[in-house]
Amino acid sequence: MTSRVENTLEQRIEALKSLGAAAHDGPGLRFIESLLSKAAEYDGVVAERLRTRAAERFETFEAAFDAARAEAASMLRALQDEGGDPDGAFAAMLMRGEFAALTTEGPRALRQLKSGATEAHQDRVRRLLSQVEAKGVLLPAELADEALRATLGEVRSAPGADRRVREVGDRVARALYQEAAQHARSAVVVARAHDRLSDDFGHYNPQALVARVLSEAEALSPTYLRALLGSLEDLAALRHLPEPKRRAGKGR
């Protein structure tokens, strides 16, 4: 005669089987089922003891199964967040109950994914450095050194390499943007200097001299022109400083 408790236990066993319990720990599951099978052959105290032992073993089995499945599911989410498992092979492992295989092979696949991402960021830094060289942009010494080191092959194996290389690339990109913005600003200054000239300016017209100097400076060295404009702005800012207080003369 089968009790209600035994039926509930069998239902719980079947539920775990549907989640891959047999693949996770087949021997452990078969041992519990053998205890229930033996209990069905006896009556009284012996049958009750066998059923109790089966229930106790199942509680331990179920707790271990749930923990292993949660760990494997976490590993799968980490892979999927990085764009891994495109063919669903690791998801299939979880469905089949192959938790040990997933938690063993998953980290290796995750490292390969991150290494590939780091390599992509390194390629970006290399492209940015090529633009820096082509445009004659002068990077701060510290940033130039970090960018060069970020392109080296051994960087990919360092902890947190993906984030650091990406950040270096962002800083180089900002430096290029600032250079382009300053260049555009310099071009606007030169254009405005010419726009303000009248049709009949003389050789010694101050505005004509300024426009000519700015144009020649831009043609010779846009970098020098930007530095010159920056210096002129600094000088202009001095005009807005308050007048220094004069000391009172000493009495004679």
Side-chain angles (χ1 to χ4, degrees):
M1 179 177 179
T2 304
S3 68
R4 181 175 178 276
V5 173
E6 186 178 349
N7 284 336
T8 302
L9 181 56
E10 288 177 347
Q11 291 171 359
R12 291 170 67 186
I13 290 173
E14 290 302 317
L16 285 195
K17 278 185 175 181
S18 68
L19 296 176
H24 170 63
D25 184 5
L29 192 62
R30 286 193 294 273
F31 178 72
I32 296 170
E33 290 179 320
S34 68
L35 288 175
L36 290 175
S37 179
K38 285 289 184 183
E41 298 176 4
Y42 295 91
D43 292 321
V45 176
V46 175
E48 191 62 31
R49 285 180 179 176
L50 288 170
R51 285 193 293 269
T52 300
R53 189 181 178 191
E56 291 172 349
R57 290 298 297 264
F58 179 78
E59 292 295 334
T60 303
F61 181 94
E62 186 179 44
F65 176 88
D66 288 342
R69 190 170 190 272
E71 183 182 1
S74 177
M75 185 71 255
L76 178 62
R77 284 194 299 271
L79 279 167
Q80 292 173 338
D81 289 344
E82 294 291 336
D85 198 29
D87 57 356
F90 286 101
M93 286 183 183
L94 182 67
M95 294 296 294
R96 291 194 299 265
E98 298 171 2
F99 308 144
L102 204 163
T103 53
T104 299
E105 299 175 20
R108 187 183 305 113
L110 190 59
R111 284 193 297 271
Q112 291 174 348
L113 281 170
K114 290 185 175 181
S115 176
T118 302
E119 187 173 355
H121 290 308
Q122 286 181 309
D123 289 340
R124 176 183 176 233
V125 174
R126 293 187 188 99
R127 290 194 301 271
L128 290 170
L129 288 178
S130 296
Q131 295 179 39
V132 166
E133 184 177 359
K135 296 179 180 180
V137 178
L138 185 62
L139 295 177
E142 182 181 356
L143 176 56
D145 182 59
E146 287 185 30
L148 183 60
R149 284 189 283 111
T151 62
L152 301 178
E154 57 266 23
V155 170
R156 288 196 294 273
S157 60
D162 180 66
R163 176 182 56 81
R164 286 199 298 273
V165 176
R166 183 176 65 250
E167 289 176 352
V168 169
D170 290 344
R171 289 166 60 194
V172 175
R174 283 196 296 270
L176 280 168
Y177 171 79
Q178 291 170 356
E179 178 76 9
Q182 290 174 0
H183 177 74
R185 179 174 159 277
S186 300
V188 169
V189 170
V190 174
R192 285 181 176 175
H194 284 279
D195 289 342
R196 291 173 182 172
L197 292 178
S198 60
D199 294 334
D200 53 348
F201 59 85
H203 292 293
Y204 299 103
N205 182 291
Q207 291 182 346
L209 290 174
V210 168
R212 184 180 303 164
V213 168
L214 291 176
S215 295
E216 292 185 2
E218 183 181 34
L220 291 171
S221 174
T223 302
Y224 172 75
L225 175 61
R226 289 191 289 275
L228 175 62
L229 292 176
S231 299
L232 292 175
E233 285 185 345
D234 292 340
L235 290 174
L238 296 177
R239 298 175 56 188
H240 300 286
L241 295 176
E243 291 289 335
K245 293 183 179 180
R246 296 186 177 182
R247 291 186 177 182
K250 294 184 179 179
R252 296 188 178 183

